[in-house]
Amino acid sequence: MALSLAEKRDYYEVLGVQKGCPEDEIKKAYRKLAKKYHPDLNPGDKEAEAKFKEVNEAYEVLSDSQKRSKYDQFGHAGVDPNFGAGAGGYGGPGGFDFDIGDIFEGFFGGGGFGGSRRSNPNAPRKGEDAYASVTISFLEACKGIEKELSVTRTDTCDSCHGSGCASGSNPETCPECRGTGQVKVQQRTPFGVVSTARPCSRCNGKGKIIKNPCPSCHGSGRKNVNKKIKINIPAGIDDGQTLSIRGGGNAGVNGGPNGDLNVGVTVRPDPLFKRRGFDILCEVPVTYAQAVLGDEITVPTIDGKVRYKIGEGTQPGTTFRLRGKGVQRLNGRGRGDQLATVTIEVPKNLSKAQTDALKKFESTLEEKNYAKRKSFFDKLKDMFE
């Protein structure tokens, strides 16, 4: 049932724009609302159908400069055919014929509804990326290494070389869609004739028909294979990082390039070393006597053992830096450092003679020999006195 003039909403309100706004704003608002309420997207929704009709009615008037001028001057009466102004019917003879792909063009980068109407189904397309993982040791991550991986991926069929056809035959252009992969479907609705582009059912949107499929790949032009490939893991790679091998992934379609192979790297923990950025951390245990008297100690590094001299009275937790003994930077500009932290091991299981000797030695020490202990008790004294 048609609405009376008094019941109709203001056309500017229907489109959600201000009176006097530019034409491109009206067109933008219309496309957004037409997409939202279109019957194809809201099957069986009577409310959406009514709103779609209302939106198209408003747009038909406001998109026409002459009709819009009459509407601005006289309101609905200025464009209603019953009042002689003659807005014209969008559902009458000849219909309001438009392609729903035009509505979605602004939303999907030029493509029609349900896929790009202008895309060539036979154009070369890059293959999908493939994925693999590898586990290496801490030292291998620091130094770099070549590894062989077993990778399952899709390769171009070696029997048909990607055509999908058996030997001696070629694919044929689909007579239904003429190679476009899409067919245009027109539907007559209460709002006019609506055109949509849909994948061709005869060729499944490929644009070509293979009558004699390759027995090896069953017409797909590609097949799954398991391959052994060698990859170079660069020095400095860290746990959890991913290496991207360009062209190492699945085969492309219609002669397109291969995708990439993404390899996730796991680095096993090391019993001696830990990593912080490009620096290496380690702990070096020394004896009580070495800490007291000073000594030249052995320090492990990823390059081998080095000798380092610690001074007299070295305290637990003292950290010294070995320049350039860390991890290789991935950009190739030098290496980090190694930070070695001294831990002092307190002797256990002493004999009576060792205990007596230690007590005798301790009795010879004075407060000045224990600077931290003296400072602690001085602070404690100040607190309670």
Side-chain angles (χ1 to χ4, degrees), residues 250-268:
N250 295 314
V253 180
N254 300 326
N258 281 23
D260 299 333
L261 173 63
N262 297 308
V263 182
V265 179
T266 298
V267 180
R268 288 192 299 268

Side-chain angles (χ1 to χ4, degrees), residues 1 3 36-55 189-191:
M1 181 177 178
L3 296 174
K36 180 178 181 181
Y37 296 119
H38 191 272
D40 282 357
L41 299 181
N42 302 276
D45 189 335
K46 297 298 183 183
E47 184 179 353
E49 186 176 312
K51 287 186 178 293
F52 184 71
K53 179 179 178 181
E54 185 181 39
V55 165
T189 72
F191 321 112

Side-chain angles (χ1 to χ4, degrees), residues 198-265:
R198 296 179 180 174
C200 176
S201 59
R202 186 165 181 177
C203 65
N204 295 319
K206 296 180 179 178
K208 291 184 179 181
I209 295 176
I210 298 176
K211 291 187 176 180
N212 298 308
C214 170
S216 181
C217 65
H218 308 290
S220 68
R222 304 189 300 172
K223 60 183 181 180
N224 289 333
V225 297
N226 190 276
K227 281 200 167 187
K228 299 283 188 182
I229 65 169
K230 291 184 178 180
I231 64 170
N232 288 313
I233 300 176
I237 194 77
D238 204 354
D239 181 58
Q241 289 186 318
T242 299
L243 288 175
S244 185
I245 313 300
R246 190 170 298 278
N250 295 314
V253 180
N254 300 326
N258 281 23
D260 299 333
L261 173 63
N262 297 308
V263 182
V265 179

Side-chain angles (χ1 to χ4, degrees), residues 68-337:
R68 182 179 179 183
S69 177
K70 291 180 181 180
Y71 178 74
D72 290 345
Q73 188 173 2
F74 302 108
H76 290 293
V79 292
D80 192 292
N82 295 323
F83 283 79
Y90 53 86
F96 181 61
D97 190 359
F98 64 93
D99 191 333
I100 189 64
D102 292 337
I103 295 176
F104 290 97
E105 184 173 353
F107 298 97
F108 301 107
F113 179 48
S116 173
R117 293 176 298 143
R118 299 177 179 83
S119 63
N120 181 1
N122 300 310
R125 297 199 308 274
K126 183 180 179 181
E128 303 88 355
D129 290 348
Y131 298 87
S133 61
V134 62
T135 299
I136 59 177
S137 70
F138 185 90
L139 288 179
E140 288 172 337
C142 293
K143 298 287 190 177
I145 192 171
E146 183 182 77
K147 285 282 187 179
E148 185 176 76
L149 303 181
S150 178
V151 178
T152 300
R153 69 183 186 188
T154 302
D155 270 3
T156 300
C157 176
D158 52 7
S159 298
C160 66
H161 306 291
S163 71
C165 297
S167 179
S169 64
N170 293 300
E172 299 178 4
T173 300
C174 174
E176 188 74 21
C177 65
R178 299 181 182 179
T180 65
Q182 293 181 329
V183 292
K184 191 172 183 179
V185 180
Q186 292 186 327
Q187 293 177 300
R188 188 169 295 278
T189 72
F191 321 112
V193 178
V194 178
S195 298
T196 57
R198 296 179 180 174
C200 176
S201 59
R202 186 165 181 177
C203 65
N204 295 319
K206 296 180 179 178
K208 291 184 179 181
I209 295 176
I210 298 176
K211 291 187 176 180
N212 298 308
C214 170
S216 181
C217 65
H218 308 290
S220 68
R222 304 189 300 172
K223 60 183 181 180
N224 289 333
V225 297
N226 190 276
K227 281 200 167 187
K228 299 283 188 182
I229 65 169
K230 291 184 178 180
I231 64 170
N232 288 313
I233 300 176
I237 194 77
D238 204 354
D239 181 58
Q241 289 186 318
T242 299
L243 288 175
S244 185
I245 313 300
R246 190 170 298 278
N250 295 314
V253 180
N254 300 326
N258 281 23
D260 299 333
L261 173 63
N262 297 308
V263 182
V265 179
T266 298
V267 180
R268 288 192 299 268
D270 189 87
L272 289 179
F273 305 115
K274 288 187 169 95
R275 178 171 173 172
R276 187 177 67 192
F278 292 101
D279 290 338
I280 292 176
L281 313 179
C282 76
E283 292 184 349
V284 183
V286 299
T287 67
Y288 175 76
Q290 285 177 310
V292 172
L293 303 175
D295 197 6
E296 190 175 67
I297 62 174
T298 299
V299 181
T301 74
I302 61 173
D303 299 317
K305 298 176 182 178
V306 299
R307 300 292 291 175
Y308 187 86
K309 187 172 184 179
I310 58 174
E312 295 180 5
T314 295
Q315 298 299 307
T318 298
T319 298
F320 52 89
R321 183 181 296 268
L322 301 177
R323 300 283 182 185
K325 292 296 184 180
V327 180
Q328 175 70 44
R329 299 184 187 277
L330 281 174
N331 59 12
R333 297 178 182 175
R335 292 170 56 175
D337 301 328

